[in-house]
Amino acid sequence: MYEIIYNKAYIALTLSIIAVLAFRYRPWLEQTFAQQGEKKSFLVLAFLFRFLPFWVVYIFYGYDAQSDVQIFWRSAQEAKQLQFVYRDFDSLYSPLFAYITAIPLIFWDTARAVTLLMIVVELAVLWLTIKTYGTTNKPSNIFKALIYLCFPGPYIFCVLGGQEDIWMWGFACLVVYLWQKGKSAFVLGLTVALGLLVTKAFFVLFVPPLFLKLSDKKNFVLGMMSLGLPSLAILYYFGGTTFLMPIQLAQEPMCPNVWSVMYPFLGKWIAQFNIRMLNWIGLFVIIIVSSWQAFRLKNLELKQFIPMVWVVIFGVMMLFQIGSYSNYIFIYAMPLLFSLMDLKDKKLLIISFLIQAAAVVQVSLWFRIGKPFLSYEYFLQIKFVIEYALELIVFFGVIYWLNMVLKKYKGVNA
């Protein structure tokens, strides 16, 4: 029952040791990256830390994909048969998601193919992030990519979990990349609308802060409408109001968040609220805080603005949204490292690895002990004590990251 938890703990420890060794031999590694070139070095790291583990786990040992990947696969099979999303099959994701995940099934109809697609997309987003947020020191950029690939959260949530959360950051990063190329608010609107159609409903949280930031709001809205309205019309014409399915089905309580952390002490009070009400409270807090930060950060360049507000949005979501759980650190691990972390700050890096290691273990343990919202009597059993301790590490770890972002903002404006 707990074998997968032990394995994830071992993997997190191994990755942390590799990261320590990487810092120990950083001069030699960066010299090697410089000699081999940026693209070749990146491809070697991608093979060692993503494709090789995939081959070992799913081909050599023959394990099947687990977690949400089985759900993705079933939806993708329906999409491959050109069934209409929401009307003919259920999906918790944006309308184009199932059709994109169906592409690899044309060649290999297995859940493993979906996991492989997730790895390919993650690596593509990583390369885009390097091109957008990298410095002129290319070996240093590749070293940062190495540290990211050693992060326990992305490694386990992508390779073993086949999670898609990094797709959202891919579109946010694409917004910055395209802005640097042409500074067209209309193109940004198109990009955001495409992100809403491809990823998941959470991506809409990115829209209000970006709208508040841009001076050319009219063309941004026109860009979104030019793609969004025809898409909405098609969904409604063929499926009626079934396109609301992702919102209607996403009602399951998860942890850690402020509700699960307080539940042992305030459980009777929290239980008086239904989950829909707690969802709305969380959504209200996210929009208010992210919009407030958007006003505070509005004088920053878009390149600086987006990663800061991105971490605020999804960090606050992890704290206050009843449906948030540890996997969501995958959403902002990349911008956190490439735009907001200083690799000279060893304390920050050690704490970040600890938070991520706790996250990958906590979510597996929580599912295996019955997904409880703990009350104080649970603490008579050690497994619940351990799970709650891991919740606290992740919860306060997210607060630590958010505090770091706010300090970063003060430093920029000092």
Side-chain angles (χ1 to χ4, degrees):
M1 177 179 179
Y2 297 111
E3 181 181 0
I4 186 65
I5 298 172
Y6 299 141
N7 289 338
K8 288 182 177 181
Y10 296 147
I11 291 171
L13 178 60
T14 301
L15 290 169
S16 300
I17 292 172
I18 293 173
V20 170
L21 292 174
F23 276 101
R24 173 67 177 82
Y25 296 101
R26 181 176 182 179
W28 176 80
L29 283 170
E30 292 193 352
Q31 182 180 5
T32 303
F33 296 151
Q35 292 171 349
Q36 298 301 319
E38 186 181 34
K39 291 182 181 178
K40 185 177 179 180
S41 299
F42 179 84
L43 290 173
V44 169
L45 293 179
F47 172 77
L48 292 175
F49 287 91
R50 289 299 185 265
F51 292 121
L52 182 60
F54 175 86
W55 181 84
V56 170
V57 172
Y58 298 107
I59 307 301
F60 184 79
Y61 284 108
Y63 289 112
D64 201 2
Q66 302 296 320
S67 188
D68 293 341
V69 182
Q70 293 292 333
I71 301 172
F72 299 159
W73 178 42
R74 287 192 291 271
S75 296
Q77 286 181 311
E78 297 288 346
K80 192 178 73 167
Q81 300 302 320
L82 299 182
Q83 299 295 305
F84 196 80
V85 66
Y86 309 135
R87 185 193 67 188
D88 300 325
F89 63 92
D90 291 349
S91 176
L92 285 172
Y93 298 87
S94 296
L96 295 182
F97 180 80
Y99 298 97
I100 294 174
T101 53
I103 294 173
L105 303 192
I106 298 172
F107 310 98
W108 189 24
D109 194 352
T110 169
R112 299 168 188 170
V114 178
T115 301
L116 183 58
L117 175 66
M118 298 301 171
I119 291 173
V120 170
V121 172
E122 183 208 20
L123 291 170
V125 173
L126 178 57
W127 182 253
L128 177 63
T129 302
I130 291 172
K131 296 288 99 179
T132 306
Y133 284 95
T135 65
T136 55
N137 187 343
K138 293 184 178 181
S140 178
N141 297 336
I142 298 300
F143 183 81
K144 269 195 172 183
L146 170 59
I147 299 304
Y148 169 81
L149 292 169
C150 288
F151 272 171
Y155 184 98
I156 290 175
F157 293 142
C158 186
V159 178
L160 300 185
Q163 295 297 304
E164 83 305 328
D165 298 300
I166 198 65
W167 291 32
M168 291 190 291
W169 166 247
F171 279 97
C173 188
L174 185 60
V175 164
V176 178
Y177 182 82
L178 293 174
W179 182 256
Q180 291 176 325
K181 295 297 181 182
K183 298 190 183 302
S184 169
F186 183 84
V187 172
L188 296 198
L190 283 173
T191 306
V192 170
L194 184 60
L196 289 168
L197 291 171
V198 169
T199 59
K200 59 200 305 184
F202 287 150
F203 192 68
V204 76
L205 298 173
F206 178 55
V207 176
L210 185 58
F211 175 81
L212 292 172
K213 164 63 179 172
L214 294 172
S215 57
D216 190 358
K217 294 177 172 55
K218 177 182 176 181
N219 279 313
F220 175 69
V221 173
L222 286 174
M224 288 193 65
M225 291 175 61
S226 64
L227 182 59
L229 288 181
S231 302
L232 188 61
I234 292 171
L235 288 169
Y236 184 77
Y237 180 80
F238 288 103
T241 59
T242 57
F243 67 87
L244 297 173
M245 184 181 294
I247 300 173
Q248 295 169 340
L249 294 182
Q251 300 292 333
E252 186 177 3
M254 307 291 278
C255 75
N257 48 64
V258 68
W259 312 108
S260 69
V261 168
M262 295 194 307
Y263 207 84
F265 316 103
L266 301 174
K268 291 183 178 179
W269 177 77
I270 295 173
Q272 296 177 12
F273 298 88
N274 62 48
I275 189 168
R276 187 179 296 274
M277 176 61 70
L278 294 178
N279 264 322
W280 279 110
I281 292 173
L283 182 62
F284 177 78
V285 173
I286 295 165
I287 292 175
I288 292 298
V289 174
S290 62
S291 298
W292 168 55
Q293 289 300 312
F295 277 114
R296 292 182 69 237
L297 303 171
K298 64 182 180 180
N299 292 326
L300 296 180
E301 291 290 331
L302 195 70
K303 183 177 179 179
Q304 295 175 306
F305 173 87
I306 283 184
M308 285 190 174
V309 79
W310 188 264
V311 175
V312 168
I313 291 169
F314 293 104
V316 172
M317 185 184 80
M318 282 191 68
L319 296 181
F320 290 97
Q321 194 69 21
I322 185 70
S324 291
Y325 65 135
S326 294
N327 288 31
Y328 290 160
I329 64 171
F330 190 22
I331 298 174
Y332 53 85
M334 208 176 285
L336 193 68
L337 175 63
F338 275 87
S339 181
L340 301 171
M341 279 188 178
D342 182 356
L343 292 187
K344 295 179 182 179
D345 190 342
K346 299 299 189 293
K347 176 184 174 182
L348 173 60
L349 285 164
I350 291 171
I351 293 175
S352 295
F353 269 89
L354 175 63
I355 296 167
Q356 296 207 21
V360 299
V361 174
Q362 182 274 328
V363 68
S364 290
L365 178 59
W366 185 68
F367 273 93
R368 281 160 180 77
I369 62 176
K371 301 191 292 185
F373 261 43
L374 303 175
S375 53
Y376 60 86
E377 61 265 20
Y378 279 90
F379 295 144
L380 297 174
Q381 299 183 54
I382 188 64
K383 61 182 179 182
F384 296 113
V385 173
I386 294 173
E387 192 281 325
Y388 188 70
L390 292 171
E391 278 192 47
L392 292 178
I393 292 173
V394 176
F395 182 80
F396 286 106
V398 173
I399 294 175
Y400 175 81
W401 279 332
L402 287 172
N403 183 58
M404 182 268 294
V405 171
L406 296 178
K407 287 183 178 179
K408 183 82 173 180
Y409 166 73
K410 291 179 181 178
V412 169
N413 288 272

